[in-house]
Amino acid sequence: MTDQTVNIGHLQSEQRGLKHSLLRGWRRKCPNCGAGPLLRGYLKVNDVCTVCREELFHHRADDGPAYLTILIVGHLMAPSLHIVFVTWRPEPLTLFTIFAVGCVGLSLYLLPRLKGAMIGFQWAKGMGGFGNDD
């Protein structure tokens, strides 16, 4: 009986495609059906998918999307800042304004998408309550 449970869980994790789940999460759609909205508002996760009724409240995204956002924005903007400063030598206030707006804009764009992708990853791997370990 234990072997059947392990096999069923293994088959379930194989059927949940990681690539599709990540892409659906990136698009802020349900990782199960890809049609229902994953988020309501900016970062609030729906408890249940409105299309397929998949329970989504099991997610444990917490601070992960924020850390990934900072990591990506920092690695993109810091070298860009250096290149722009060395190449064109703009006025400090101009440089600050452009890169401040760029950092905020990129962060606001990436944060909900990375949260969706992280929830899609958790769903695909059956992490937390997403696995049927009743």
Side-chain angles (χ1 to χ4, degrees):
M1 189 172 215
T2 305
D3 291 336
Q4 290 176 348
T5 305
V6 171
N7 288 339
I8 290 171
H10 181 66
L11 289 175
Q12 181 183 9
S13 67
E14 284 181 1
Q15 291 173 352
R16 294 180 174 189
L18 179 61
K19 180 179 177 183
H20 293 294
S21 300
L22 287 173
L23 289 174
R24 288 173 179 168
W26 177 264
R27 291 190 321 253
R28 296 164 309 189
K29 299 294 182 184
C30 171
N32 185 39
C33 67
L38 180 63
L39 304 174
R40 68 176 182 272
Y42 182 63
L43 289 176
K44 182 71 175 164
V45 179
N46 287 323
D47 290 337
V48 177
C49 176
T50 56
V51 176
C52 69
R53 309 308 297 167
E54 176 74 23
E55 293 178 342
L56 301 170
F57 62 87
H58 300 294
H59 77 90
R60 294 290 176 257
D62 301 328
D63 292 335
Y67 291 128
L68 289 175
T69 300
I70 292 168
L71 181 75
I72 292 170
V73 170
H75 278 84
L76 291 176
M77 297 304 269
S80 301
L81 178 66
H82 176 71
I83 291 168
V84 167
F85 180 74
V86 169
T87 305
W88 291 291
R89 296 284 180 175
E91 292 294 320
L93 189 57
T94 304
L95 189 67
F96 167 76
T97 303
I98 291 169
F99 278 90
V101 170
C103 284
V104 170
L106 188 57
S107 296
L108 291 174
Y109 175 79
L110 287 176
L111 189 57
R113 286 159 180 80
L114 289 172
K115 183 167 187 168
M118 186 167 282
I119 293 170
F121 178 82
Q122 291 174 358
W123 181 85
K125 294 295 184 180
M127 297 170 73
F130 287 122
N132 291 332
D133 299 327
D134 295 335

